[in-house]
Amino acid sequence: MSTSDATQATKSSKKEENIRVVVRCRPMSESEMRSHTNIVEIENTSGRVTLLRSKSAGEQKREFTFDYVYDWNSKQIDVYLETIHPIVESVLQGYNGTIFAYGQTGTGKTYTMQGESNDPEMRGIIPNCFDFIFSHISKTENLQFLVRASYMEIYQDEVKDLLSKDQKKRLQLRERTDTGVFVQDLSSFVTKSVKEITHVMNVGNQNRSVGRTDMNEHSSRSHAIFVITVECSEMDSEGESHIRVGKLNLVDLAGSERQSKTHSTGDRFKEATEINLSLSALGNVISALVDPNVTHIRYRDSKLTRLLQDSLGGNSKTVMIATIGPASYNFEESLLTLRYANRAKDIMNKPRINEDPKDALLRYF
């Protein structure tokens, strides 16, 4: 290792921080209330989630503690302001940020991430991010900003550009020493307002792979990643321009599934198999990152883990939102999700400000 590399490594190690983990529990549905009991207890002040089980099963309860927890009465804006807003502020300063939602199918991942954009109280994390980014830019003086948006999905472990005119084209992953893993030929659109970036997302959503299962009428059959790149140029006292580039990855993971509950067949079953394989690879990476005896992290086991490589153990400030259902018949799935999230708490990232990158577009404006 060179002297400069050693110095950089020392600087980075001082800035290590844990992934922040949030748990949100959706309300019980009408059908669940008729046939099942609520087995989830949420203590907001202590960050504790408790899963209850009948005494006859031999296990009375399981307890976990997280950075933030939200019950079925939680409001979208509270989730955003308390857990996501600090990440978005960091992105505007030039850091990378990642927010990803994980959980069983039908537990509210897409609602949490996107919500209902036409209803201010129902808007999810993504539209709230849009609002804050452009509000911040409009109020900031003496700085020049450029905002770009990209949108991709991973469907059956193939990467597709949701904004491309050719929806049959599959894209390749590449890696650079300075910026890490990226998607070759992924389209990117400069956006100048909330309206423009919302339009970009809506176009991509129309191309997402969704389908019906017995667990979810509109089940996401792919992992979707909406990427917002924010470039900021500032003049120093000598009149020289310095550029910082922050990247915000907003990840809506497809839900983990049990075929015995979704009753998927044909294409739905094949999709579920690929979804579960990629989520398993993600779980293996999370486990390996917190195991001091593991020396090699298998990011290359799936496209999903390669794309999230910087977000898990690398150059990013990351929040994981784990969503669960409260009904008794989902005990095993909820327990699995909470264990998954509990391991992720111990992952250490090394975020740094991305200064003067070679590929900044602001140089040409």
Side-chain angles (χ1 to χ4, degrees), residues 155-171:
Y155 177 70
Q156 297 192 14
D157 210 41
E158 296 289 344
V159 181
K160 183 174 77 171
D161 186 346
L162 290 172
L163 304 177
S164 172
K165 292 181 179 178
D166 182 6
Q167 285 297 299
K168 294 183 179 180
K169 184 178 180 181
R170 298 298 178 257
L171 304 183

Side-chain angles (χ1 to χ4, degrees), residues 203-252:
V203 169
N205 283 339
Q206 292 174 5
N207 292 322
R208 277 201 71 179
S209 300
V210 297
R212 184 192 180 282
T213 73
D214 283 3
M215 294 287 290
N216 193 348
E217 184 68 29
H218 301 285
S219 174
S220 300
R221 312 312 294 164
S222 66
H223 309 300
I225 306 176
F226 192 92
V227 184
I228 306 171
T229 303
V230 182
E231 300 185 14
C232 174
S233 177
E234 183 176 17
M235 291 287 185
D236 63 18
S237 58
E238 298 179 356
E240 188 171 337
S241 175
H242 293 277
I243 297 175
R244 301 189 303 269
V245 178
K247 184 178 290 185
L248 180 62
N249 299 300
L250 298 158
V251 186
D252 182 11

